[in-house]
Amino acid sequence: MPTPCDVVVLLSGTGSNLQALIDSTQGGDNPARIRAVISNRADAYGLQRARDAGIEARVLDHKGFEGREAFDTALMALIDEFSPKLVVLAGFMRILSADFVRHYQGRLLNIHPSLLPKYKGLHTHQRALDAGDREHGCSVHFVTEELDGGPLVVQAVVAVELADTAQSLAQRVHGQEHQIYPLAMRWFAEGRLSLGEQGAILDGQPLPASGHLIRP
C-alpha cells in the first residue's frame, strides 16, 4: 500500500463532488485520504456528508473577518493543522487571495463546469446553450492566481442535445464531474500528477493545454 496522501476539501454547498471523492477512497487501494472538510458556511450539507463518513468537519465563517486576506490567513492556518499534501476545492464559493494560492502552489485543485478556457465564472451551462455549442463539459485544473485559468489536468466532454435546458445539461455535466475529480485526486495521491513550470505533468509527460480529454 503506498503512503497515504492526506487531503483537505473546501466547500460551501451540498458537497456532491465531495461525496464522489469520499466514495472513491472506500475501496482500500486508493492512497488519497480525506483528513478534513472545511466550509465557510455552517449550513453546508457537505459538512454532514463528511461527518457521516467519519471525516473531521470544520466551519470557518468568512463573515467574521475583516476582508478576504484576513479570512484566507485564518483558513490557511486551519488547513495546515492537517498537514495536507493536496487541497481540493469542491464548490468553495470564495475567490482566493494571491497569498493563499501561492501557499498551496502545485497542490491545489479545482473543478469547473465548462470546457475551459471557455466560460470562466458563473452560469456556464446557460452560456453554452446561448452560444449554440454542440459540446460542453467540465474541467479539473491546478489553481493559479488567474480565476479558472490554471493548467488543465482532465476534461470530460458532454454532447449538447437539442432539447437541453441549463438544468438538464448541468445534470449530465455533474455526472462527469463525479468521474473526473476522483480520478485527478487519485493521480495526484499516487504521485503520477504534478505541476511543472510549463503546466500539468502526468506520468512524467507534459499534458496538452486541454489536459487529458475524456470523450463520450
Side-chain angles (χ1 to χ4, degrees):
M1 181 70 187
T3 304
C5 172
D6 287 339
V7 179
V8 169
V9 178
L10 308 183
L11 55 75
S12 301
T14 60
S16 66
N17 269 309
L18 168 67
Q19 191 64 58
L21 296 172
I22 291 171
D23 292 347
S24 76
T25 64
Q26 301 299 302
D29 62 342
N30 189 337
R33 180 174 64 180
I34 300 173
R35 286 288 314 282
V37 173
I38 301 170
S39 179
N40 63 314
R41 295 176 58 98
D43 61 350
Y45 183 65
L47 293 168
Q48 188 59 48
R49 294 182 190 270
R51 296 184 191 106
D52 290 346
I55 297 167
E56 188 150 355
R58 299 281 194 94
V59 177
L60 190 68
D61 190 338
H62 61 275
K63 294 191 293 291
F65 292 87
E66 292 282 339
R68 185 189 304 166
E69 284 74 17
F71 172 76
D72 282 5
T73 297
L75 181 59
M76 284 188 282
L78 179 55
I79 292 168
D80 289 349
E81 287 181 24
F82 300 95
S83 302
K85 294 179 182 175
L86 177 66
V87 178
V88 171
L89 306 177
F92 189 59
M93 303 307 290
R94 298 277 304 168
I95 294 175
L96 298 165
S97 64
D99 284 347
F100 184 98
V101 172
R102 283 194 292 266
H103 184 70
Y104 297 106
Q105 179 79 17
R107 54 195 183 107
L108 183 61
L109 290 177
N110 185 43
I111 194 159
H112 184 74
S114 77
L115 295 174
L116 291 171
K118 276 190 168 185
Y119 311 130
K120 298 177 182 181
L122 301 175
H123 311 301
T124 59
H125 312 301
Q126 189 61 53
R127 288 158 71 191
L129 290 173
D130 291 346
D133 290 353
R134 299 180 67 178
E135 291 185 334
H136 187 43
C138 48
S139 310
V140 177
H141 64 95
F142 281 104
V143 178
T144 63
E145 293 174 46
E146 180 187 353
L147 179 66
D148 298 330
L152 290 164
V153 173
V154 56
Q155 294 190 308
V157 177
V158 170
V160 179
E161 299 172 0
L162 285 175
D164 264 328
T165 63
Q167 291 73 26
S168 65
L169 189 53
Q171 191 169 14
R172 293 205 309 286
V173 170
H174 287 156
Q176 291 303 309
E177 289 180 19
H178 300 162
Q179 300 300 313
I180 66 172
Y181 219 2
L183 181 64
M185 181 177 72
R186 180 165 187 149
W187 283 346
F188 189 95
E190 291 175 338
R192 297 174 58 193
L193 174 66
S194 62
L195 180 61
E197 289 185 9
Q198 304 303 316
I201 297 170
L202 182 64
D203 294 332
Q205 299 296 317
L207 282 165
S210 60
H212 179 81
L213 201 60
I214 298 174
R215 289 191 168 274

